[in-house]
Amino acid sequence: MTERPLPWLGYTLTTMIAMIALVGHATATVAIERSHFVIFGILVAFVVIQTEVSRKIERQRRILSAGPHMNMTSVWTLPAALLLPPQVTAVLVLLVYAYLGRRTWSGIRPGSPHLLLANATNVILSCYGAFAVSHALSGSVSATGTIAAGVAASFLLNGVLTGLGLRLGSSAKPDLKTCAGSWDDNVLELATLCLGGLLVVVLPHEPLLALTVLFPVHMLHRSVLVKHLEELATTDQKTKLLNAVSWKDAAEREMSRAAREHSEFGTLMIDLDFFKKVNDTYGHLAGDDVLKSVAALVKEQTRAHDLAGRFGGEEFVVLLANSSKRDSVATAERIRELVGQLVVHTHTNDGSPVVIDTLTASIGVASFPVDGKTLDEALAAADAAVYAAKRSGRNRVVASPDLDTMTEAPPLQAAA
């Protein structure tokens, strides 16, 4: 724990003190009734069942997760927040995370005691927020409105607390998506909270019906893991573009469609000029940031149904569906110009800040079926055009087979 950044330590200790103070206040002011023990026992039993059923899936998901991790415990903690006193909810949350740490996360980073306690603290504070909001609205709005307000309070408060912790716990100043999670992550958390909202209605009257929630939660776990594995198998993890194998598979399907419909498509081969010098000068971590920035640019400048992939090293490939050769050249030229305007803020290997703003790219363009009757022929034509661009001074677009016809642009020096 002492290896964590000081801002994170200060923030975590502050949240823990706040949690203890709020739980202490609730213990002194909120009475515990016999029915609370019944609901508490039911929720603990469901937590154990769900953890055991989904243990291997949850462990695999947590190992693969690189950012905020939605462990789906909200399906049990939200009913606790809205149906139980805060001090009882706090005990439940601590039991949930202790059990997960022992049975599911043992031996991996999330199972570290200080991280378990920090995460449990955030959840307890989120539950307290849901409790406070729902009780403040009780009697003035419908039961549905009260539950919806509790869901919203829990979702927002947990997102803020977790995001701040991730921000302060990293020296790399992660972006908003890294701290807040992706759209899919947040939708998953909301879906889990909605299931928890249903349990709020069911548990006090028909507790056995709560068993029907176990199967959907298990399937959510399973579907999220399958999607994650599919992304790992098809995506280049550095740039988030398609990897070479997945790109070629998708491109083959597009070629078959184009052949059936007698349509055309363009192929761009994009090669960063003097990229080795960027790595040698600033380090490979800075080079990785350059690749990520160029990949994001390529993605922005292509359409949703186009195929953008990383072919390896500093080389990217794009298939422009239903694009003429002239349109493909125009797209390539636009990408080349924007690469030249790209400013990458990064760090050297020793942590010193650096700005890389003298990037250039050579781009080869080929068209199906004009420059090749198969995908491999079109790729070979685009690759030959890239080499022609480099031989002609780099920082230019060359279309195949007219390798003598190219956009004239004065070659720039590599980043130094």
Side-chain angles (χ1 to χ4, degrees), residues 83-166:
L83 297 174
L84 301 177
Q87 64 270 33
V88 179
T89 301
V91 173
L92 177 72
V93 172
L94 290 172
L95 287 175
V96 167
Y97 275 81
Y99 195 76
L100 280 171
R102 177 68 181 87
R103 293 292 296 157
T104 304
W105 299 333
S106 178
I108 58 178
R109 187 171 173 270
S112 303
H114 67 281
L115 290 178
L116 284 173
L117 187 56
N119 289 329
T121 298
N122 289 343
V123 174
I124 291 171
L125 290 173
S126 303
C127 288
Y128 191 92
F131 169 84
V133 169
S134 63
H135 279 256
L137 295 176
S138 180
S140 59
V141 298
S142 65
T144 301
T146 301
I147 294 172
V151 168
S154 177
F155 176 76
L156 293 173
L157 192 53
N158 191 43
V160 170
L161 291 171
T162 303
L164 280 174
L166 288 171

Side-chain angles (χ1 to χ4, degrees), residues 270-273 335-336 339-340 359-363 394-397:
I270 305 167
D271 195 293
L272 296 181
D273 299 326
I335 291 173
R336 185 196 66 80
V339 168
L359 298 167
T360 64
S362 299
I363 305 178
R394 294 181 168 83
N395 188 29
R396 60 193 66 212
V397 174

Side-chain angles (χ1 to χ4, degrees), residues 39-252:
I39 293 175
F40 176 85
I42 293 171
L43 287 173
V44 169
F46 286 159
V47 166
V48 171
I49 294 171
Q50 190 248 315
T51 300
E52 292 302 322
V53 169
S54 304
R55 185 165 62 91
K56 292 182 179 179
I57 295 175
E58 167 63 18
R59 183 177 178 84
Q60 191 66 28
R61 282 187 59 226
R62 196 62 188 90
I63 291 172
L64 296 174
S65 179
H69 175 70
M70 310 303 169
N71 58 30
M72 302 188 197
T73 56
S74 300
V75 71
W76 314 118
T77 59
L78 180 72
L82 301 188
L83 297 174
L84 301 177
Q87 64 270 33
V88 179
T89 301
V91 173
L92 177 72
V93 172
L94 290 172
L95 287 175
V96 167
Y97 275 81
Y99 195 76
L100 280 171
R102 177 68 181 87
R103 293 292 296 157
T104 304
W105 299 333
S106 178
I108 58 178
R109 187 171 173 270
S112 303
H114 67 281
L115 290 178
L116 284 173
L117 187 56
N119 289 329
T121 298
N122 289 343
V123 174
I124 291 171
L125 290 173
S126 303
C127 288
Y128 191 92
F131 169 84
V133 169
S134 63
H135 279 256
L137 295 176
S138 180
S140 59
V141 298
S142 65
T144 301
T146 301
I147 294 172
V151 168
S154 177
F155 176 76
L156 293 173
L157 192 53
N158 191 43
V160 170
L161 291 171
T162 303
L164 280 174
L166 288 171
R167 175 76 175 180
L168 296 173
S170 174
S171 58
K173 295 183 178 180
D175 57 21
L176 179 62
K177 183 178 179 181
T178 301
C179 294
S182 67
W183 172 259
D184 288 342
D185 290 333
N186 286 282
V187 169
L188 176 63
E189 178 66 8
L190 275 175
T192 307
L193 284 167
C194 288
L195 286 173
L198 293 176
L199 286 182
V200 174
V201 178
V202 169
L203 279 174
H205 308 291
E206 296 290 343
L208 287 179
L209 279 178
L211 288 169
T212 60
V213 173
L214 290 171
F215 183 69
V217 173
H218 177 70
M219 293 310 297
L220 274 175
H221 267 293
R222 188 180 181 87
S223 62
V224 171
L225 176 60
V226 169
K227 182 179 179 182
H228 200 155
L229 292 174
E230 287 176 348
E231 289 176 352
L232 288 175
T234 61
T235 306
D236 174 69
Q237 294 305 295
K238 191 170 291 183
T239 63
K240 303 306 178 183
L241 300 179
L242 293 173
N243 60 32
V245 173
S246 297
W247 184 91
K248 194 166 184 180
D249 287 343
E252 290 282 5

Side-chain angles (χ1 to χ4, degrees), residues 245-273:
V245 173
S246 297
W247 184 91
K248 194 166 184 180
D249 287 343
E252 290 282 5
R253 291 193 294 271
E254 175 60 27
M255 188 203 70
S256 298
R257 185 202 63 78
R260 288 195 309 271
E261 299 177 4
H262 303 289
S263 61
E264 56 189 339
F265 63 78
T267 304
L268 311 185
M269 195 73 78
I270 305 167
D271 195 293
L272 296 181
D273 299 326

